[in-house]
Amino acid sequence: MDQVSAPADQDKRSGRLPREQRRAQLLQAAHGVFVTHGYHGAAMDEIAEAAHVSKPVLYQHFPGKRELYLALLDHHLDELTTAMLTALRSTDDNKERVTAAIRTYFEFVAADHQAYRLIFESDLLNDPDVSDRFERFNAAIADEIASAISGDTSLAQAEALLLGRTLSGMAQVSARSWLEVSDCVDQTVASDLVARLAWRGISRFPKES
């Protein structure tokens, strides 16, 4: 019993964290540095200092700044993907589905607009690995929307997919634009306005008989 608990007790006394906790701590510290300085302006020294660890500890978890940024990007995109798919699958009513999806974008922005800017306004967007991650994210959301559209209308799959991309893009751009006027436009009001606009457009397409 004592032999099993000894490493945990030793970690507590030495200030060492379990690997996953340390990784989460480093990602949180990197998030702040990347938001403040951008990818190119950030330095591993600053990230290590923000995380209160030595550089060797940082490099034990991440070989370099690029790998650290990609891990952070994966975390945020996975979080947003899960939230979006949950919203789209939360109801069979398409009007409510549109509203839920758009609200999810706005909630993500409102909860952590720095994370949103880190994802969608990065100075590393032209990097192939970054753009590939964005494409997978956008494709997953567009496919989910297209599936609902093609199942409810007479549109072909390719046409439904085009609309899926358009609706997802509308939600992204409007949520990003809302940040500029968030002091005078309530988040719920803004997302409902966009949802009404989107629904008035998509609901006009003929339904399957």
Side-chain angles (χ1 to χ4, degrees):
M1 181 70 73
D2 291 339
Q3 289 180 346
V4 173
S5 60
D9 293 339
Q10 183 179 2
D11 281 352
K12 288 180 181 178
R13 291 194 299 268
S14 65
R16 290 170 53 192
L17 292 175
R19 183 172 183 81
E20 287 306 311
Q21 290 184 29
R22 177 66 76 194
R23 180 181 173 86
Q25 177 199 23
L26 296 175
L27 287 175
Q28 184 178 14
H31 178 279
V33 175
F34 282 132
V35 167
T36 301
H37 300 291
Y39 174 79
H40 294 294
M44 292 292 273
D45 286 341
E46 291 177 282
I47 295 171
E49 183 178 352
H52 305 292
V53 300
S54 64
K55 281 183 68 177
V57 169
L58 179 58
Y59 281 111
Q60 284 175 8
H61 294 266
F62 301 99
K65 181 171 72 170
R66 189 169 182 276
E67 289 79 9
L68 182 52
Y69 176 83
L70 291 176
L72 189 59
L73 182 63
D74 285 336
H75 171 76
H76 287 313
L77 284 178
D78 287 347
E79 183 181 52
L80 183 53
T81 299
T82 298
M84 284 296 296
L85 294 180
T86 298
L88 289 166
R89 296 167 183 173
S90 63
T91 177
D92 292 329
D93 184 290
N94 284 331
K95 183 177 181 180
E96 293 179 2
R97 187 179 276 143
V98 168
T99 300
I102 291 175
R103 280 181 178 173
T104 296
Y105 267 113
F106 277 80
E107 288 169 358
F108 182 80
V109 170
D112 190 351
H113 66 270
Q114 290 184 339
Y116 186 83
R117 284 185 163 135
L118 183 70
I119 294 173
F120 293 101
E121 298 179 3
S122 169
D123 51 357
L124 205 63
L125 289 176
N126 291 328
D127 182 285
D129 287 331
V130 174
S131 60
D132 181 64
R133 283 163 165 77
F134 278 115
E135 175 56 28
R136 291 202 305 267
F137 165 75
N138 286 322
I141 304 306
D143 286 346
E144 189 73 20
I145 297 173
S147 178
I149 292 173
S150 61
D152 194 55
T153 70
S154 58
L155 293 175
Q157 177 64 23
E159 295 171 327
L161 186 58
L162 175 61
L163 290 179
R165 289 272 186 171
T166 302
L167 286 173
S168 179
M170 176 189 290
Q172 286 184 31
V173 171
S174 59
R176 179 174 166 181
S177 299
W178 169 71
L179 283 176
E180 301 174 3
V181 296
S182 59
D183 289 341
C184 51
V185 181
D186 181 77
Q187 172 198 332
T188 302
V189 172
S191 64
D192 285 350
L193 281 172
V194 177
R196 284 165 56 193
L197 174 63
W199 177 246
R200 286 186 180 183
I202 200 67
S203 64
R204 301 294 180 179
F205 289 93
K207 292 182 179 295
E208 288 281 14
S209 60

